[in-house]
Amino acid sequence: MSRVYPFDDAATARAVIGHDGTLVEWNEGARRLLGHPADAVLGRPAAELLADAGTPWPPAGPRWAGTVGLRHRDGRTVPVWLLAHRRPPHDEHPGDWLVVTPLTGTDPPAGDDPLTEAGLLQSPCPVAVYDDRLRLRRMNEAMAGVVGLPEERVRGLRLAEIGGRPQSEELEESMLRVLTSGRPLDVQTFMRTGGEDRAHAWLASMAPVRDPAGQVRGVCLAAHDISDNHRARQRLQLLNEAGVRIGTTLDVTRTAQELADVCVPALADFVTIDLLDPQEYGGEPPARITAPVRLRRAAHQSVLPGLPEAVIQPGTAEEYPALSPQADALTAGRTITATVSAGDMDPWLAWHPERGERVRRFGIHSSMSVPIQARGLTLGVAVLTRHRRPDPFTADDVLLAEEITARAAVCIDNARRYSRERETALALQRSLLPRSLPRTAALEASSRYLPAARAGVGGDWFDVIPLSGMRVAMVVGDVVGHGIQASATMGRLRTAVRTLADIDLAPDELLTHLDDLVLRLSEDAGAEGSPGEVGATCLYAVYDPVSRRCALARAGHPPPVLLRPGGRPQLLDLPAGPPLGLGGLPFESTEVDLPEGTVLALYTDGLVQSRERDVEASRELLYRALGQDTDSLEEACDGVLHALLPGGAAPDDVALLLARTRGLPASQVATWDIPADPALVAPIRKQVVDQLDAWSLSEATFTAELVVSELVTNAIRYGARPIRLRLIHDATTLICEVSDTSHTAPHLRRAKTFDEGGRGLLLVAQLTQRWGSRHTPEGKTIWAELPLYEEDQ
């Protein structure tokens, strides 16, 4: 059977005085004490009950105790000891005063009272004994010191009336459970008692008090100050939280903000994080700092919304003189605490009036400046201030702040070094990738490159390479791995591809040579002790605008996507080929017809590989993006990236190359079969002159006639039948090509003074923009390019 709540309301005279000084509550105990019924006093000024009109009301401070003369209903003056608690506003309640005095228990208990026989009354541990109505019967001197009142004054009051705080009511409810259940109970609370100047953590151990018959007659409460353990747990919890929350990314600004967020409000009310700019010190922060020091605000945090304490915003740099807390801590290399009351910050606040105004407005009273240091280098300073918390920073606070800042410093240093290496790798990557794609008559091209969001730059690359005969090569590749090493390997492979393309190798032959290079790079890496092997994939394509055919080969790379005019995007069926670096395996070329206006999409696997969807779903998105009606390849590139990477970040590098083919009209190509008779070279020259006149290129006739004469004569003399001459031109270039079935490559040689020949190719080299030869399935072709200018047309 549960017990009824044992409070006798009439055993305490209790009144509540509102914030305007009127009585808002008057209990039966107050009527018994002064004789006034509730309806006679409620709503009237409480001061009317004072016998002495000079008694000040309300008193100062959160609690008041003392004896005053009160007016009885019958007109006499009754001296009464009162205990008054100021209760702050809460839940839209404006606040009031709770005034109590005991009516029972003022006499000492009888000697045979079992409550008086409760032990530990002489213990240094604060102990109090409450009766079965939960009214104070006895307490020892230690408890009187905690309460801040002598026993004889509060005897007969309930715990909630003695404490006057919400925590006191919670403890009283726990005492009731002990009284009704007969079982002991331990309760932890954090509160400021009447005898303390600040809150403490307490462990209240409650046990039932029984008489000889075993009947529960009351509750014994022993209070233990566990503030040290409480603070230790808080510090461990804060350190653990710092380890979890700080350093979640490799971003310096984000890490600095995480440090500020952890410190507020657990350690400070306002925190600023200011970092040195390494660029001002040659790229690496100095080990020692001299004032004045220039810092950049990285982050700040406050208990107040909108951070009104802040004078500058993140990203703003400011110079701090020797008298500032920031410079003092950095130059000293240790934590410095300061208080406004001691005048420690007066010179700084006088030098910076705006900060002085903020300090006065918000009541900032203490600051702590902690250097942010890692690897013996100073990275910046964290300044912690308090204005809502009344207590200044303690030595334990300094140790805790230094521990948290040290952990954050490692994360900030790692983020800074990562950012520097990433910027270096990005700079290397940008220097190795083409800054702009060449303008060619064969195709229009546009490209995009995105480094990996987390792994950083890698080895993806793309290129467009003009070849002889108006042809153009397109290449997209991907080196395995990330970082500077992958970028450097990419640069070597890109250079190799350009070199091999210059000698006009077929796509399958070029990939074979590139495979050999990757094998040698792997061997070199193993000899130098580098971990892992070098690997790569590549797609190489050569498009001829005259024939409108494209030859392609790939080495383990994703196949391209074709979009023919009026058609739908489709994946080009192209033999996969092994990735580069395996060695000894063949590559296979494929030729396809590409009508003018065909869009060819070459990309690396980072574009279509995703954790959210499979490759086929990504390709469907790619098809849909390429199928959008747009004439701009730039817009098409943006549309593809937006469709497949809507957040602008990819788990892997992404290289994308879009090319729209152009065809060279037959009217801009002329071809002749050459008889193997040197005497017939003159008629050929005449046909070339006539053709140039028909093309309105007569200004180029003299040079072209000489070049054609030398190339044709050389082919007749040293080549093999059949021999063919072809002229090709666009708006800027005239190309002369002579083909024969001999596989012997021509070469320049230095003719002696009295030699009759040997100067033909040297003359061609001097007269043309560039010249060369390429092997064909039937033999070879010698070609030469002559520049055309506006006056030539």
Side-chain angles (χ1 to χ4, degrees), residues 366-635:
S366 303
S367 75
M368 175 169 51
S369 304
V370 187
I372 302 174
Q373 297 172 325
R375 298 186 300 115
L377 301 175
T378 301
L379 307 177
V381 61
V383 179
L384 296 78
T385 57
R386 287 181 176 176
H387 54 77
R388 177 174 290 182
R389 294 175 57 166
D391 49 315
F393 291 105
T394 65
D396 288 340
D397 293 330
V398 171
L399 293 176
L400 180 59
E402 289 177 342
E403 178 68 21
I404 295 174
T405 303
R407 295 189 180 193
V410 174
C411 299
I412 290 175
D413 185 51
N414 289 339
R416 182 186 61 81
R417 296 168 67 187
Y418 167 78
S419 298
R420 183 179 63 184
E421 291 181 4
R422 177 180 171 83
E423 289 173 1
T424 302
L426 282 173
L428 174 62
Q429 184 96 10
R430 285 191 293 266
S431 68
L432 296 175
L433 290 174
R435 296 185 178 182
S436 61
L437 299 179
R439 299 170 61 90
T440 67
L443 51 82
E444 172 194 359
S446 183
S447 63
R448 293 291 186 274
Y449 171 78
L450 290 179
R454 294 185 178 273
V457 297
D460 290 18
W461 90 94
F462 58 89
D463 212 345
V464 174
I465 308 169
L467 302 178
S468 62
M470 296 288 180
R471 297 170 305 128
V472 64
M474 296 163 283
V475 58
V476 172
D478 184 1
V479 175
V480 175
H482 295 88
I484 294 179
Q485 185 62 41
S487 295
T489 301
M490 176 272 287
R492 299 173 74 173
L493 294 184
R494 177 172 177 250
T495 301
V497 169
R498 278 188 160 267
T499 302
L500 295 172
D502 279 345
I503 61 176
D504 268 311
L505 290 180
D508 55 340
E509 294 181 23
L510 183 142
L511 292 181
T512 300
H513 286 281
L514 203 61
D515 184 49
D516 293 337
L517 173 61
V518 173
L519 282 174
R520 289 196 298 273
L521 292 177
S522 295
E523 294 172 357
D524 293 343
E528 296 173 359
S530 300
E533 296 181 349
V534 177
T537 64
C538 185
L539 170 64
Y540 185 77
V542 176
Y543 172 69
D544 186 348
V546 177
S547 65
R548 293 178 173 82
R549 294 183 63 80
C550 184
L552 308 95
R554 63 185 178 119
H557 201 83
V561 174
L562 285 183
L563 174 60
R564 291 184 170 89
R568 295 175 56 84
Q570 64 182 57
L571 202 66
L572 184 61
D573 186 12
L574 188 64
L580 300 173
L582 298 182
L585 299 175
F587 299 97
E588 185 177 348
S589 288
T590 299
E591 283 199 8
V592 293
D593 292 318
L594 298 183
E596 184 172 3
T598 299
V599 175
L600 189 64
L602 289 74
Y603 53 90
T604 55
D605 55 9
L607 182 68
V608 294
Q609 289 183 352
S610 171
R611 297 186 181 94
E612 290 78 21
R613 56 182 178 269
D614 58 27
V615 174
E616 289 303 320
S618 295
R619 286 205 176 107
E620 287 297 327
L621 292 176
L622 176 59
Y623 298 157
R624 196 177 308 163
L626 289 174
Q628 297 297 317
D629 185 16
T630 176
D631 293 332
S632 171
L633 289 185
E634 289 290 321
E635 294 180 3

Side-chain angles (χ1 to χ4, degrees), residues 9-15 25-32 36 38 161:
D9 191 60
T12 297
R14 184 175 66 253
E25 184 178 329
W26 187 263
N27 78 335
E28 177 60 21
R31 188 201 63 77
R32 288 173 52 187
H36 300 285
E161 297 167 341

Side-chain angles (χ1 to χ4, degrees), residues 55 58 132 162 184 214 289 414 469 484 487 525 693:
T55 302
D132 57 359
I162 297 172
I289 304 294
N414 289 339
I484 294 179
S487 295
D693 289 339

